[in-house]
Amino acid sequence: MRSSTSDETMTVAAARALGGGKRCFVGIGLPSTAANLARTTHAPDLVLIYESGTLGSKPGRLPASIGDGILAETADAVISVPEVFNYWLQPGRIDIGFLGAAQLDRFGNINTTVIGDYRKPKVRLPGAGGAPEIAASCGEVFVVVRQSRQSFVERVDFVTSFGHGRGGAERARLGLRGAGPTQVITDLGIMRPDENGELVLTAVHPGVTVEQVRAATGWELKVAADLAVTEPPTAAELAALHTLQAAS
């Protein structure tokens, strides 16, 4: 079997984080790829919810956007966008929010709004969408993002989706329902927050060193004493991923 690419390893690791029977609010892009891979492999009863109002979507290919018709065609139900947020998300009925990021900082805060000063940005990004509500109200949040010093920064230029603030009990102080980011899966490894909400490297992917991860991180990254190495993707997982991608 050929070795997997870093993107494939990241996607498979992110998919493995999702257990069956969970209700998952899915962001488009990398999160959607990982969530659909999980559903078509080890977690067939994973319930995928998209912002457009589709509950229990089972697409046979990767959707191009939250408005892709295949999400509605394969859903258990289609409801209005306000109902998704007011009935499902805000009352805490969704277990996992699966998000991407343009920038992420040491406390798991996400920026998808602007790079640079908000009033005169260097780059204007796609924006918030439903991500702030997902980050605030889901039981927990998983983030999947390619890692570099440009994406993993000491402090995000703009807080689009609140992670753990500046650490400590900020989420509780603000009255946010969910636990916030509990896993960040990258193309280099996996990070989890410590008791103060700061991200700690807990696993690296096969062939990746701690020095490589630190070199791609814009802050002094903590490393767990019991650092693990993730299992490489299996032939079956790669085949399922390629099937989804080829159909898109």
Side-chain angles (χ1 to χ4, degrees):
M1 185 187 77
R2 72 167 178 82
S3 59
S4 58
T5 67
S6 57
D7 263 17
E8 289 169 342
T9 300
M10 170 180 60
T11 302
V12 169
R16 289 172 179 169
L18 294 170
K22 298 288 187 179
R23 296 177 292 271
C24 181
F25 205 123
V26 188
I28 210 65
L30 292 173
S32 183
T33 303
N36 279 288
L37 178 60
R39 186 189 57 77
T40 56
T41 53
H42 66 276
D45 54 348
L46 179 68
V47 180
L48 302 187
I49 299 170
Y50 285 83
E51 188 178 339
S52 51
T54 58
L55 308 181
S57 290
K58 305 170 190 66
R61 59 170 173 81
L62 299 178
S65 70
I66 60 170
D68 194 319
I70 197 170
L71 295 176
E73 291 165 8
T74 60
D76 294 330
V78 180
I79 61 177
S80 69
V81 172
E83 190 174 354
V84 170
F85 285 88
N86 295 338
Y87 181 79
W88 285 94
L89 183 57
Q90 292 168 346
R93 291 188 169 95
I94 297 178
D95 304 302
I96 299 166
F98 214 170
L99 298 175
Q103 280 186 333
L104 186 84
D105 68 23
R106 68 195 305 156
F107 291 104
N109 302 299
I110 292 172
N111 174 21
T112 56
T113 302
V114 294
I115 301 297
D117 186 276
Y118 181 79
R119 292 160 293 186
K120 195 174 181 181
K122 297 176 183 176
V123 178
R124 190 170 295 281
L125 299 168
E133 292 282 357
I134 295 168
S137 299
C138 285
E140 57 183 326
V141 173
F142 297 165
V143 184
V144 57
V145 58
R146 297 181 183 94
Q147 189 166 353
S148 70
R149 282 187 173 265
Q150 288 70 46
S151 56
F152 279 63
V153 296
E154 174 74 28
R155 190 162 188 168
V156 292
D157 293 339
F158 185 92
V159 178
T160 307
S161 303
F162 196 85
H164 298 286
R166 304 316 308 160
E170 279 205 72
R171 290 188 66 88
R173 180 176 62 80
L174 293 172
L176 301 182
R177 177 184 296 277
T182 58
Q183 288 195 57
V184 175
I185 301 110
T186 83
D187 52 347
L188 299 177
I190 299 172
M191 300 178 189
R192 293 181 173 87
D194 63 13
E195 64 281 356
N196 192 45
E198 182 173 347
L199 294 176
V200 176
L201 182 66
T202 58
V204 291
H205 297 319
V208 176
T209 66
V210 170
E211 289 71 25
Q212 285 177 292
V213 183
R214 282 182 162 152
T217 307
W219 69 86
E220 190 174 339
L221 180 64
K222 295 179 180 178
V223 178
D226 56 346
L227 183 69
V229 178
T230 62
E231 290 292 327
T234 66
E237 288 170 325
L238 289 175
L241 175 59
H242 297 159
T243 298
L244 282 171
Q245 292 170 332
S248 301

